[in-house]
Amino acid sequence: MAAAEAAAPPGGGCPAAGGGSVPVLFCFSVFARPSTVPHGAGYELLIQKFLSLYGDQIDMHRKFVVQLFAEEWSQYIDLPKGFLVSERCKVRLVPLQIQMTTLGNLTPSSTVFFCCDMQERFRPAIKYFGDIISVGQRLLQGARLLGIPVIVTEQYPKGLGSTVQEIDLTGAKLVLPKTKFSMVLPEVEAALAEIPGVRSVVLFGVETHVCIQQTALELIGRGLEVHIVADATSSRSMMDRMFALERLARTGIIVTTSEAILLQLVADKEHPKFKEIQNLIKASAPESGLLSKV
């Protein structure tokens, strides 16, 4: 398990000579399964045991840390350096989320834009649809200026139509029909794998509480940082939209605005594309009141 090995503390090693097995409770997610390991087992053998017990549930693309329950603190602590099992204990495998040092930091080289289901048949039903089209188009123009890959999906286009004509998909890396609500399809995962160093996804479209929400949750489950553009996502019901954004924010997803995204991506007035991004923002900023509904 290469990802877990990268987080291994030095010194955990093979069992020491001399004796017997030690009972250990192995915890992962909501599960707890008792087993045994040889006396003197270290980090590597604990990882092997976790894989034997939970291998079908562990995402091999994630990074993990092993923690030990410390009686003196009455809580789990990171496995001490050089730890060897010598007595009955309880350990757990914890998936690491986003590195706190990079939380919210966008750069063009590590970002991809996801445009979700901005289709003609949704026009009469989605609140502020004209405004999110305008903001979505601004984001796609910004992506082209900054060389950011764009992935687009269309929900059942045979029945719901194609992406609206106002949205220019020139240069999009992938435009894909789907029936699944989430955008995270095998073809999308393959496209992401072709983008070196991708860390952040900027997500917008419809509907906030269905396709946007399910896409965002799947993406963070794969260790990606997700930025939802509040002024470029909507639903038929403002209540559904509001509660979806609140829920997503509580999970660590970043709810932000199109202007904040574009200016964060250029980061500096001296950026060679700053003037073009600035003009784009000035020329296409709708005043719809949508952000007052967040």
Side-chain angles (χ1 to χ4, degrees), residues 1-60:
M1 184 179 179
E5 288 170 3
C14 298
S21 296
V22 181
V24 177
L25 184 65
F26 288 86
C27 305
F28 176 70
S29 183
V30 297
F31 307 104
R33 296 175 184 171
S35 188
T36 61
V37 298
H39 185 278
Y43 178 86
E44 299 297 336
L45 283 180
L46 292 176
I47 285 293
Q48 290 174 24
K49 181 62 74 169
F50 272 113
L51 288 173
S52 70
L53 293 170
Y54 299 108
D56 58 335
Q57 299 169 60
I58 294 175
D59 183 350
M60 304 294 283

Side-chain angles (χ1 to χ4, degrees), residues 131-143:
D131 293 330
I132 67 170
I133 289 174
S134 175
V135 177
Q137 174 62 4
R138 175 207 299 182
L139 288 165
L140 294 181
Q141 287 177 277

